[in-house]
Amino acid sequence: MADTTMAKSMVLYHYWRSSCSWRVRWALALKGVPYESRPVNILTGEHRAEAYLRTNPSGLLPALVVDGKPYGESLALLEWIEETWKDPPLLPQEPLARLRVRQLALTIVSGTQPLQNPSALKQFVPDDKARPAQARHFIAKGLGIYEELLARGGDGEFSFGDKLTLADLCLVPQVYNAKRFDVDMAAFPRSAAIFERCSKTKECEASAPHNQPGATPPTS
Amino acid sequence: MADTTMAKSMVLYHYWRSSCSWRVRWALALKGVPYESRPVNILTGEHRAEAYLRTNPSGLLPALVVDGKPYGESLALLEWIEETWKDPPLLPQEPLARLRVRQLALTIVSGTQPLQNPSALKQFVPDDKARPAQARHFIAKGLGIYEELLARGGDGEFSFGDKLTLADLCLVPQVYNAKRFDVDMAAFPRSAAIFERCSKTKECEASAPHNQPGATPPTS
């Protein structure tokens, strides 16, 4: 539920299929924060155009313009959203529990997503037909680490215990990418179960790629 | 200065040259937190050995064992250290200021470091002689974005205003890597100046690669 004392002018630049964009759309949906949506089309290179680079010099999606000032990096945005709208909390209270949730989140944010993103693949792999295999390698590696951390953490409904946290908001879009790249999720049963559980929730579904304007079917 | 009511058993697994290890050593030095040091030798593959993977399933350095439980991901560790030992603060108080500092930090943590780390380069670039050029590409790209964010932020002594923050703890080790890979820092004058300024401080220097046990000279 939004805290109306915190009402701000918010414009979200995002791409429907970008996993980092989904993280932020999902957080805003969970907290009930209204924002103006500005789709940016990666396929036509809109993210590399001068207009968008003025908003986010990295050219990455998403970016959030708050009261006229632009900010980027999805995990930084998630932390800010969490600090600004408390309900529902997406980080536990206890410091070492927060550390574990952030370790899980960064296993995706720093350890997995950057290595399978289209611009990295394009730079590293000249042969475009060889790119999916490299994406699969890094996604499977990252999810393997995440799965092992889940196994050590004991079983819960979500990545950390029985409440949704920032870790899930990073995991689920990565699993979506895994499916897109034909990574066999049978090797990652805990992550797969969390994906299924989250997919049945209203906010996850509303913020998912296939429900954004301009989306093409999941198999395309 | 350490808060002694927070005294914990802390064991840091780190590698002298790892930029992510430096971030955490530096934070602990700034806060005056004592810890037991456990060097892990990447050159002999110690980070891939079963013993270390039990501590950190990612095989990445650093890992911090707190009261017997292991944690990884350097930015997660930095956030925990910041929450646990308040003095000196490494994040500003104002939420949008914290967002900017985290955006800067993640420009390195997620946007730069993963793409130039040895294991990613090895997987992506079969020809080992071609690896430094790819590392230089991603380091220069990441520092270019960081530099642009600094330029837009207005001039201060450090990455965000006149106080050291988590952003600097991520930037400086990345600049060290840039120098190692012969990236021309003349293109990034603000980042270069912050590097020089930080290098003159006691805690940065004490936690720097060349002052760790087992270090070889910077040019090697």
Side-chain angles (χ1 to χ4, degrees), chain A residues 55-76:
Chain A
T55 299
N56 193 351
S58 73
L60 297 171
L61 278 302
L64 188 65
V65 178
V66 183
D67 294 337
K69 283 188 86 169
Y71 298 87
E73 287 297 335
S74 63
L75 185 58

PDB file of all heavy atoms in Angstrom, chain A residues 55-76:
ATOM      1  N   THR A  55      18.971  10.294 -19.717  1.00  0.00           N
ATOM      2  CA  THR A  55      18.312   9.778 -18.519  1.00  0.00           C
ATOM      3  C   THR A  55      19.210   8.780 -17.806  1.00  0.00           C
ATOM      4  O   THR A  55      19.389   8.836 -16.587  1.00  0.00           O
ATOM      5  CB  THR A  55      16.974   9.106 -18.902  1.00  0.00           C
ATOM      6  OG1 THR A  55      16.152  10.107 -19.493  1.00  0.00           O
ATOM      7  CG2 THR A  55      16.262   8.532 -17.691  1.00  0.00           C
ATOM      8  N   ASN A  56      19.777   7.855 -18.583  1.00  0.00           N
ATOM      9  CA  ASN A  56      20.653   6.852 -17.994  1.00  0.00           C
ATOM     10  C   ASN A  56      21.883   6.661 -18.867  1.00  0.00           C
ATOM     11  O   ASN A  56      21.818   6.032 -19.921  1.00  0.00           O
ATOM     12  CB  ASN A  56      19.908   5.521 -17.827  1.00  0.00           C
ATOM     13  CG  ASN A  56      20.676   4.558 -16.947  1.00  0.00           C
ATOM     14  OD1 ASN A  56      21.825   4.817 -16.594  1.00  0.00           O
ATOM     15  ND2 ASN A  56      20.045   3.450 -16.587  1.00  0.00           N
ATOM     16  N   PRO A  57      23.034   7.195 -18.438  1.00  0.00           N
ATOM     17  CA  PRO A  57      24.237   7.138 -19.285  1.00  0.00           C
ATOM     18  C   PRO A  57      24.720   5.713 -19.539  1.00  0.00           C
ATOM     19  O   PRO A  57      25.517   5.499 -20.446  1.00  0.00           O
ATOM     20  CB  PRO A  57      25.281   7.945 -18.508  1.00  0.00           C
ATOM     21  CG  PRO A  57      24.790   8.016 -17.106  1.00  0.00           C
ATOM     22  CD  PRO A  57      23.283   7.908 -17.170  1.00  0.00           C
ATOM     23  N   SER A  58      24.252   4.741 -18.767  1.00  0.00           N
ATOM     24  CA  SER A  58      24.652   3.358 -19.024  1.00  0.00           C
ATOM     25  C   SER A  58      23.899   2.768 -20.210  1.00  0.00           C
ATOM     26  O   SER A  58      24.297   1.730 -20.742  1.00  0.00           O
ATOM     27  CB  SER A  58      24.402   2.493 -17.786  1.00  0.00           C
ATOM     28  OG  SER A  58      23.016   2.253 -17.610  1.00  0.00           O
ATOM     29  N   GLY A  59      22.779   3.392 -20.586  1.00  0.00           N
ATOM     30  CA  GLY A  59      21.952   2.812 -21.639  1.00  0.00           C
ATOM     31  C   GLY A  59      21.190   1.579 -21.183  1.00  0.00           C
ATOM     32  O   GLY A  59      20.534   0.918 -21.982  1.00  0.00           O
ATOM     33  N   LEU A  60      21.291   1.251 -19.911  1.00  0.00           N
ATOM     34  CA  LEU A  60      20.593   0.074 -19.391  1.00  0.00           C
ATOM     35  C   LEU A  60      19.177   0.443 -18.966  1.00  0.00           C
ATOM     36  O   LEU A  60      18.908   1.582 -18.583  1.00  0.00           O
ATOM     37  CB  LEU A  60      21.352  -0.518 -18.195  1.00  0.00           C
ATOM     38  CG  LEU A  60      22.768  -1.047 -18.486  1.00  0.00           C
ATOM     39  CD1 LEU A  60      23.495  -1.389 -17.190  1.00  0.00           C
ATOM     40  CD2 LEU A  60      22.720  -2.263 -19.404  1.00  0.00           C
ATOM     41  N   LEU A  61      18.316  -0.544 -19.008  1.00  0.00           N
ATOM     42  CA  LEU A  61      16.964  -0.405 -18.478  1.00  0.00           C
ATOM     43  C   LEU A  61      16.899  -1.165 -17.169  1.00  0.00           C
ATOM     44  O   LEU A  61      17.576  -2.186 -17.032  1.00  0.00           O
ATOM     45  CB  LEU A  61      15.939  -0.987 -19.456  1.00  0.00           C
ATOM     46  CG  LEU A  61      15.445  -0.160 -20.651  1.00  0.00           C
ATOM     47  CD1 LEU A  61      14.817   1.152 -20.187  1.00  0.00           C
ATOM     48  CD2 LEU A  61      16.501   0.095 -21.699  1.00  0.00           C
ATOM     49  N   PRO A  62      16.126  -0.724 -16.191  1.00  0.00           N
ATOM     50  CA  PRO A  62      15.267   0.440 -16.208  1.00  0.00           C
ATOM     51  C   PRO A  62      16.005   1.694 -15.721  1.00  0.00           C
ATOM     52  O   PRO A  62      17.158   1.638 -15.291  1.00  0.00           O
ATOM     53  CB  PRO A  62      14.200   0.063 -15.170  1.00  0.00           C
ATOM     54  CG  PRO A  62      14.998  -0.674 -14.120  1.00  0.00           C
ATOM     55  CD  PRO A  62      16.037  -1.457 -14.913  1.00  0.00           C
ATOM     56  N   ALA A  63      15.309   2.816 -15.836  1.00  0.00           N
ATOM     57  CA  ALA A  63      15.709   4.035 -15.130  1.00  0.00           C
ATOM     58  C   ALA A  63      14.441   4.607 -14.517  1.00  0.00           C
ATOM     59  O   ALA A  63      13.339   4.414 -15.048  1.00  0.00           O
ATOM     60  CB  ALA A  63      16.336   5.033 -16.096  1.00  0.00           C
ATOM     61  N   LEU A  64      14.604   5.266 -13.405  1.00  0.00           N
ATOM     62  CA  LEU A  64      13.447   5.847 -12.723  1.00  0.00           C
ATOM     63  C   LEU A  64      13.726   7.335 -12.516  1.00  0.00           C
ATOM     64  O   LEU A  64      14.770   7.701 -11.965  1.00  0.00           O
ATOM     65  CB  LEU A  64      13.230   5.153 -11.370  1.00  0.00           C
ATOM     66  CG  LEU A  64      11.957   5.491 -10.600  1.00  0.00           C
ATOM     67  CD1 LEU A  64      10.701   5.030 -11.351  1.00  0.00           C
ATOM     68  CD2 LEU A  64      11.986   4.831  -9.208  1.00  0.00           C
ATOM     69  N   VAL A  65      12.813   8.157 -13.005  1.00  0.00           N
ATOM     70  CA  VAL A  65      12.958   9.604 -12.814  1.00  0.00           C
ATOM     71  C   VAL A  65      12.054  10.007 -11.649  1.00  0.00           C
ATOM     72  O   VAL A  65      10.843   9.842 -11.701  1.00  0.00           O
ATOM     73  CB  VAL A  65      12.601  10.369 -14.102  1.00  0.00           C
ATOM     74  CG1 VAL A  65      12.697  11.878 -13.870  1.00  0.00           C
ATOM     75  CG2 VAL A  65      13.525   9.940 -15.245  1.00  0.00           C
ATOM     76  N   VAL A  66      12.676  10.466 -10.578  1.00  0.00           N
ATOM     77  CA  VAL A  66      11.958  10.819  -9.358  1.00  0.00           C
ATOM     78  C   VAL A  66      11.986  12.340  -9.200  1.00  0.00           C
ATOM     79  O   VAL A  66      13.078  12.921  -9.096  1.00  0.00           O
ATOM     80  CB  VAL A  66      12.618  10.168  -8.121  1.00  0.00           C
ATOM     81  CG1 VAL A  66      11.821  10.488  -6.857  1.00  0.00           C
ATOM     82  CG2 VAL A  66      12.755   8.657  -8.298  1.00  0.00           C
ATOM     83  N   ASP A  67      10.836  12.946  -9.217  1.00  0.00           N
ATOM     84  CA  ASP A  67      10.751  14.401  -9.103  1.00  0.00           C
ATOM     85  C   ASP A  67      11.735  15.089 -10.052  1.00  0.00           C
ATOM     86  O   ASP A  67      12.455  16.014  -9.669  1.00  0.00           O
ATOM     87  CB  ASP A  67      10.986  14.845  -7.654  1.00  0.00           C
ATOM     88  CG  ASP A  67       9.865  14.355  -6.730  1.00  0.00           C
ATOM     89  OD1 ASP A  67       8.746  14.088  -7.219  1.00  0.00           O
ATOM     90  OD2 ASP A  67      10.111  14.216  -5.520  1.00  0.00           O
ATOM     91  N   GLY A  68      11.807  14.555 -11.275  1.00  0.00           N
ATOM     92  CA  GLY A  68      12.623  15.175 -12.325  1.00  0.00           C
ATOM     93  C   GLY A  68      14.070  14.737 -12.384  1.00  0.00           C
ATOM     94  O   GLY A  68      14.776  15.095 -13.327  1.00  0.00           O
ATOM     95  N   LYS A  69      14.538  13.966 -11.385  1.00  0.00           N
ATOM     96  CA  LYS A  69      15.942  13.518 -11.416  1.00  0.00           C
ATOM     97  C   LYS A  69      16.031  12.028 -11.746  1.00  0.00           C
ATOM     98  O   LYS A  69      15.358  11.211 -11.118  1.00  0.00           O
ATOM     99  CB  LYS A  69      16.623  13.778 -10.065  1.00  0.00           C
ATOM    100  CG  LYS A  69      16.995  15.233  -9.863  1.00  0.00           C
ATOM    101  CD  LYS A  69      17.843  15.440  -8.623  1.00  0.00           C
ATOM    102  CE  LYS A  69      19.325  15.254  -8.848  1.00  0.00           C
ATOM    103  NZ  LYS A  69      20.132  15.722  -7.682  1.00  0.00           N
ATOM    104  N   PRO A  70      16.899  11.671 -12.710  1.00  0.00           N
ATOM    105  CA  PRO A  70      16.972  10.273 -13.145  1.00  0.00           C
ATOM    106  C   PRO A  70      17.954   9.433 -12.316  1.00  0.00           C
ATOM    107  O   PRO A  70      19.016   9.906 -11.927  1.00  0.00           O
ATOM    108  CB  PRO A  70      17.491  10.400 -14.582  1.00  0.00           C
ATOM    109  CG  PRO A  70      18.278  11.652 -14.615  1.00  0.00           C
ATOM    110  CD  PRO A  70      17.735  12.572 -13.547  1.00  0.00           C
ATOM    111  N   TYR A  71      17.534   8.188 -12.089  1.00  0.00           N
ATOM    112  CA  TYR A  71      18.359   7.220 -11.353  1.00  0.00           C
ATOM    113  C   TYR A  71      18.324   5.890 -12.085  1.00  0.00           C
ATOM    114  O   TYR A  71      17.325   5.561 -12.738  1.00  0.00           O
ATOM    115  CB  TYR A  71      17.821   7.027  -9.934  1.00  0.00           C
ATOM    116  CG  TYR A  71      17.848   8.297  -9.127  1.00  0.00           C
ATOM    117  CD1 TYR A  71      16.780   9.202  -9.170  1.00  0.00           C
ATOM    118  CD2 TYR A  71      18.954   8.629  -8.360  1.00  0.00           C
ATOM    119  CE1 TYR A  71      16.815  10.390  -8.456  1.00  0.00           C
ATOM    120  CE2 TYR A  71      19.005   9.813  -7.637  1.00  0.00           C
ATOM    121  CZ  TYR A  71      17.926  10.690  -7.693  1.00  0.00           C
ATOM    122  OH  TYR A  71      17.978  11.857  -6.990  1.00  0.00           O
ATOM    123  N   GLY A  72      19.383   5.109 -11.931  1.00  0.00           N
ATOM    124  CA  GLY A  72      19.452   3.804 -12.578  1.00  0.00           C
ATOM    125  C   GLY A  72      19.968   2.730 -11.646  1.00  0.00           C
ATOM    126  O   GLY A  72      20.185   2.982 -10.457  1.00  0.00           O
ATOM    127  N   GLU A  73      20.184   1.560 -12.203  1.00  0.00           N
ATOM    128  CA  GLU A  73      20.630   0.350 -11.492  1.00  0.00           C
ATOM    129  C   GLU A  73      19.473  -0.203 -10.655  1.00  0.00           C
ATOM    130  O   GLU A  73      19.121   0.313  -9.597  1.00  0.00           O
ATOM    131  CB  GLU A  73      21.872   0.595 -10.620  1.00  0.00           C
ATOM    132  CG  GLU A  73      23.151   0.779 -11.409  1.00  0.00           C
ATOM    133  CD  GLU A  73      23.553  -0.466 -12.211  1.00  0.00           C
ATOM    134  OE1 GLU A  73      23.169  -1.577 -11.843  1.00  0.00           O
ATOM    135  OE2 GLU A  73      24.234  -0.298 -13.236  1.00  0.00           O
ATOM    136  N   SER A  74      18.951  -1.307 -11.118  1.00  0.00           N
ATOM    137  CA  SER A  74      17.709  -1.836 -10.536  1.00  0.00           C
ATOM    138  C   SER A  74      17.814  -2.169  -9.050  1.00  0.00           C
ATOM    139  O   SER A  74      16.879  -1.922  -8.284  1.00  0.00           O
ATOM    140  CB  SER A  74      17.243  -3.064 -11.328  1.00  0.00           C
ATOM    141  OG  SER A  74      18.201  -4.095 -11.231  1.00  0.00           O
ATOM    142  N   LEU A  75      18.946  -2.714  -8.598  1.00  0.00           N
ATOM    143  CA  LEU A  75      19.021  -3.058  -7.170  1.00  0.00           C
ATOM    144  C   LEU A  75      19.071  -1.794  -6.301  1.00  0.00           C
ATOM    145  O   LEU A  75      18.512  -1.766  -5.200  1.00  0.00           O
ATOM    146  CB  LEU A  75      20.226  -3.974  -6.883  1.00  0.00           C
ATOM    147  CG  LEU A  75      20.333  -4.486  -5.448  1.00  0.00           C
ATOM    148  CD1 LEU A  75      19.092  -5.260  -5.002  1.00  0.00           C
ATOM    149  CD2 LEU A  75      21.582  -5.353  -5.273  1.00  0.00           C
ATOM    150  N   ALA A  76      19.710  -0.755  -6.812  1.00  0.00           N
ATOM    151  CA  ALA A  76      19.705   0.529  -6.093  1.00  0.00           C
ATOM    152  C   ALA A  76      18.272   1.064  -6.000  1.00  0.00           C
ATOM    153  O   ALA A  76      17.846   1.572  -4.955  1.00  0.00           O
ATOM    154  CB  ALA A  76      20.615   1.534  -6.806  1.00  0.00           C
TER     155      ALA A  76
END
